[in-house]
Amino acid sequence: MAANDHGQSDAEAARAPAPDMGGEAACLLHRVCEECGRLAPGREDRCCARCGGPLPS
């Protein structure tokens, strides 16, 4: 059984999950509440779930 560059057999490499190409933006400041500092969980949130303050746009 031949191994690839990562020491895996071809069968192991075929079963491995594909790398996640998505992810969070490098800067999350647009999701931090200016009033209390809480990070909004959703990308589309417009107000803070904790204090109700507006999120930066």
Side-chain angles (χ1 to χ4, degrees), residues 17-50:
D20 184 13
M21 302 309 276
E24 295 293 333
C27 179
L28 298 175
L29 287 177
H30 65 282
R31 291 178 45 193
V32 177
C33 176
E34 294 175 350
E35 299 294 321
C36 70
R38 182 175 190 262
L39 180 65
R43 293 180 184 189
E44 302 302 319
D45 292 345
R46 297 291 172 236
C47 63
C48 179
R50 178 185 291 159

